[in-house]
Amino acid sequence: MRPPGRSVKAYRSRPFTSIVMQAAARRPRTNHLDLAQRILDVARQRGFEPGARLPEQQIASLCNVSRTPVRAALSLLAEQGVVRWQADSGYHLAIDLTTQPAIAAELPLTEEDELAEAILRDRSARRLDQTVTVAGLMRRYSAERKTVLKALNKLTEENLLDRAPGQSWLFRRTPDDPEAQGESYEFRLLLEPAAILTSGFRLDGARAATLRLGMEALLALPDAAFDTREFQRLDIDFHGMLAEGCANRFITDALADHLRLRRLPGIYAGVNVFRLRQSLREHLNILDHLESRQYEVAADLLRIHLRLSRNQRPQAASRGAPALFGMISRPD
């Protein structure tokens, strides 16, 4: 019998510095975490219900990997209570994935991922200067050199940092002040609708279906339970899907680089839940028209959506072009 593993929730609630000092704490590998999320996406797309069996070989084939990493990924999900292990039949889905969209945020982080998140939080709160060094971060977070380097390389790969001379790294400018936010939306208004209108644009149907489930589940929650972090994940993934569907690689790359900046903490600060809910409905409306291949209408709706988000004032919906909402319905 293979035990499903022990819970990791205890160390997630402790401060970062105390976590890294616990050498015995078991850390998952990044590829196992990524695979755990892929397993969840496959289960959602295929409509797996609670109790559905998750055969290792089938999952390995669907995810195009061997059975060994699948076992590790399923063990991580068992630690979170998402799947359960039965000695006679293996792993089974333990929850209804359509009603719990925020599972990704509950998965444990690798040590370098957790450090990268801590660095981003501190930079967003102005607790870190624009330029940081390996030695300074080692002291601040009581972290080993190799962990700091992995975290910095991760942030550099995501275009959030640039390598400077010596052992220094430079944070890129982020849309975290009114002027920068305005410039960010102007940039997106120029490129995102154009991405949809490029010849050869393709919508990832499976990804769109998963996003729709997540957005509808988040909309179904009461205001008190509305998860801003889950909104951020869905928002970035939705706009990232549009960028990746573009047939022009230069537009795709430019948008992908810019959208990475929106994962920083504090980007959605000050936006009320009413506007976030409105934004999700706009996403779903755009998605309806993309699935119906009404690309010009979808591009127009995207422009409206970005303008409303830039204003962050729901009353802006009464101006001019937003009247399109409610006039165009998805064909049966």
Side-chain angles (χ1 to χ4, degrees), residues 286-305:
I286 293 166
L287 192 54
D288 287 343
H289 290 86
L290 287 174
E291 290 174 339
S292 299
R293 299 191 178 185
Q294 297 176 320
Y295 298 131
E296 291 188 4
V297 176
D300 286 340
L301 295 177
L302 180 57
R303 291 188 188 94
I304 297 165
H305 165 69

Side-chain angles (χ1 to χ4, degrees), residues 253-266:
D253 291 345
L255 285 173
D257 284 349
H258 188 74
L259 287 170
R260 288 189 185 98
L261 300 176
R262 297 184 60 78
R263 62 167 289 217
L264 294 172

Side-chain angles (χ1 to χ4, degrees), residues 46-99:
R46 293 182 170 261
F48 286 8
E49 297 181 350
R53 187 167 172 265
L54 301 172
E56 292 177 2
Q57 187 56 57
Q58 180 186 9
I59 296 297
S61 298
L62 291 172
C63 296
N64 197 28
V65 296
S66 67
R67 292 178 62 175
T68 299
V70 167
R71 293 189 192 110
L74 288 171
S75 179
L76 284 175
L77 293 174
E79 291 171 356
Q80 299 300 311
V82 179
V83 303
R84 67 175 183 274
W85 165 260
Q86 293 181 357
D88 58 340
S89 55
Y91 285 100
H92 295 256
L93 188 63
I95 65 170
D96 185 349
L97 292 174
T98 64
T99 63

Side-chain angles (χ1 to χ4, degrees), residues 158-330:
E158 295 178 356
N159 291 317
L160 298 172
L161 284 176
D162 287 321
R163 184 71 182 267
Q167 293 295 309
S168 299
W169 273 259
L170 184 69
F171 283 100
R172 289 193 171 190
R173 189 183 180 193
T174 58
D176 57 357
D177 62 68
E179 181 182 358
Q181 287 176 8
E183 293 173 355
S184 171
Y185 277 110
E186 288 299 325
F187 175 84
R188 295 173 66 196
L189 276 163
L190 286 171
L191 287 189
E192 285 197 41
I196 293 176
L197 295 176
T198 55
S199 177
F201 174 86
R202 297 184 66 179
L203 180 68
D204 185 334
R207 186 173 175 183
T210 299
L211 276 169
R212 181 182 291 278
L213 288 174
M215 290 187 286
E216 290 175 344
L218 188 56
L219 276 171
L221 297 176
D223 284 357
F226 193 91
D227 188 341
T228 305
R229 286 184 60 193
E230 176 63 6
F231 173 86
Q232 182 177 21
R233 185 187 72 81
L234 291 168
D235 183 54
I236 293 171
D237 201 17
F238 174 79
H239 289 280
M241 177 182 67
L242 302 184
E244 292 171 23
C246 176
N248 185 307
R249 72 189 75 178
F250 297 102
I251 294 177
T252 295
D253 291 345
L255 285 173
D257 284 349
H258 188 74
L259 287 170
R260 288 189 185 98
L261 300 176
R262 297 184 60 78
R263 62 167 289 217
L264 294 172
I267 292 295
Y268 298 85
V271 184
N272 59 42
V273 172
F274 181 89
R275 173 57 200 154
L276 297 182
R277 288 186 179 280
Q278 186 184 52
S279 184
L280 287 173
R281 295 187 184 98
E282 291 161 11
H283 285 174
L284 290 169
N285 198 14
I286 293 166
L287 192 54
D288 287 343
H289 290 86
L290 287 174
E291 290 174 339
S292 299
R293 299 191 178 185
Q294 297 176 320
Y295 298 131
E296 291 188 4
V297 176
D300 286 340
L301 295 177
L302 180 57
R303 291 188 188 94
I304 297 165
H305 165 69
L306 291 171
R307 291 184 183 121
L308 292 176
S309 296
R310 177 184 59 189
N311 295 336
Q312 296 185 3
R313 291 194 300 270
Q315 61 266 32
S318 63
R319 299 177 187 169
L324 281 171
F325 288 109
M327 293 177 57
I328 304 173
S329 59
R330 183 182 178 190

